[in-house]
Amino acid sequence: MTSFAPDSIVLNRKLPLWYQVSQSLRASILGRSAQDPLRLPTEEQLAEHYGVSVLTMRQALKELEDEGLITRHRRRGTFIEPSAARGAPVRLLGSVDAIVAQQSGMTTRLLDHGTEPVSAELSEYFPDLTEIATYHRLRSDEKTGEPTNHARNYVRPELAALIDPEDLVRWPMTKVLRDVAGARISQITDTVEARLADPETARLLQVPLLSPILHYTGVVHGEDGRALDVARIQYRGDRFSFTVTLDAH
């Protein structure tokens, strides 16, 4: 039986290895296509793939098993759970793959894309540009079809030229920037605040006008410090929570 092939990552030795591996594998699982096999490689094969010990790999798999994304059967192997719940609370621990995992696992519809002038508000992030590429997407729960969040991304034009809009239906923007456009990401800054749903957000997320939502702003920086992408995402307040874990080391 052919096994599912997870993405590769570059591990950050300042963060727990099991966590980085679990988040990378989680993103691969949630971003898989319907044709991908459900069986995972063995613990030993996965450990070799990620360059970690079998013990570390076992801890990463336990995290995914506890979340309900995989099931493990003695002698048969480990399998992706096709009916797994995908709307888990977001946990951030400073790795790009954690951000990718955060954004994965929902049905995504690209509402529109194009270009627009850099507004006064965006000029803080793109002071050298007069025009910016834009993408607007709506994400929904795979099982219920219920809308959960809508996202607007503002991307540097030279990177947007390398992006196929269809990639954004399958994968999160962070993954597309890194793995498709080849952007070298050095830092992602996240800001989350409470807001009230405006008319557009209330319509898209099917919530009452002025109901509470979570407004997320994520700024992706390249190695030269410039902003590559600014994401503004409106999450339904009744469906999401954010937990930030700080590494004491």
Side-chain angles (χ1 to χ4, degrees):
M1 180 185 293
T2 304
S3 297
F4 177 75
D7 295 339
S8 297
I9 59 171
V10 177
L11 295 173
N12 181 344
R13 296 293 166 177
K14 294 183 179 180
L15 297 173
L17 297 181
W18 69 266
Y19 176 83
Q20 296 177 73
V21 169
S22 71
Q23 292 302 297
S24 175
L25 187 52
R26 182 181 189 275
S28 296
I29 289 172
L30 296 182
R32 73 191 186 279
S33 66
Q35 294 75 34
D36 288 336
L38 295 178
R39 185 173 186 171
L40 289 179
T42 65
E43 287 181 353
E44 291 77 12
Q45 290 169 331
L46 286 170
E48 182 179 0
H49 173 78
Y50 285 110
V52 298
S53 69
V54 172
L55 186 61
T56 296
M57 193 66 239
R58 196 167 294 156
Q59 189 174 4
L61 290 172
K62 184 179 185 305
E63 175 82 357
L64 299 180
E65 184 179 26
D66 290 346
E67 189 179 336
L69 285 179
I70 62 173
T71 55
R72 310 181 74 186
H73 304 277
R74 190 175 182 182
R75 296 191 179 90
R76 288 182 54 212
T78 302
F79 295 83
I80 297 169
E81 177 53 60
S83 61
R86 309 269 172 110
V90 176
R91 298 195 303 160
L92 305 179
L93 191 60
S95 76
V96 171
D97 287 283
I99 302 296
V100 170
Q102 165 197 330
Q103 299 167 346
S104 300
M106 298 181 189
T107 300
T108 301
R109 180 158 58 101
L110 183 63
L111 300 178
D112 59 68
H113 66 94
T115 59
E116 64 180 53
V118 174
S119 65
E121 190 175 5
L122 287 174
S123 64
E124 171 189 352
Y125 306 107
F126 305 105
D128 58 323
L129 298 179
T130 58
E131 192 172 67
I132 197 75
T134 64
Y135 301 88
H136 186 199
R137 290 166 296 157
L138 179 67
R139 299 188 183 102
S140 303
D141 185 279
E142 287 185 341
K143 296 175 67 175
T144 67
E146 182 182 48
T148 57
N149 67 84
H150 76 99
R152 292 186 184 274
N153 287 82
Y154 303 89
V155 180
R156 299 189 72 88
E158 65 270 23
L159 291 174
L162 303 174
I163 294 174
D164 182 342
E166 286 302 309
D167 289 338
L168 295 174
V169 175
R170 180 177 180 187
W171 295 314
M173 177 63 82
T174 307
K175 179 177 176 64
V176 171
L177 286 173
R178 184 187 65 179
D179 298 345
V180 177
R184 299 181 67 85
I185 298 172
S186 66
Q187 179 179 326
I188 300 176
T189 303
D190 296 310
T191 304
V192 182
E193 57 185 308
R195 291 192 179 180
L196 300 178
D198 57 31
E200 180 189 36
T201 297
R203 176 180 62 83
L204 289 172
L205 299 187
Q206 300 176 15
V207 297
L209 183 65
L210 301 182
S211 60
I213 61 168
L214 292 175
H215 177 81
Y216 164 92
T217 300
V219 184
V220 177
H221 299 272
E223 290 186 324
D224 59 2
R226 295 189 306 171
L228 307 179
D229 164 53
V230 174
R232 289 181 174 152
I233 308 176
Q234 314 283 355
Y235 290 93
R236 283 183 55 152
D238 61 342
R239 292 296 304 275
F240 285 89
S241 63
F242 282 75
T243 301
V244 180
T245 303
L246 299 179
D247 181 10
H249 303 288

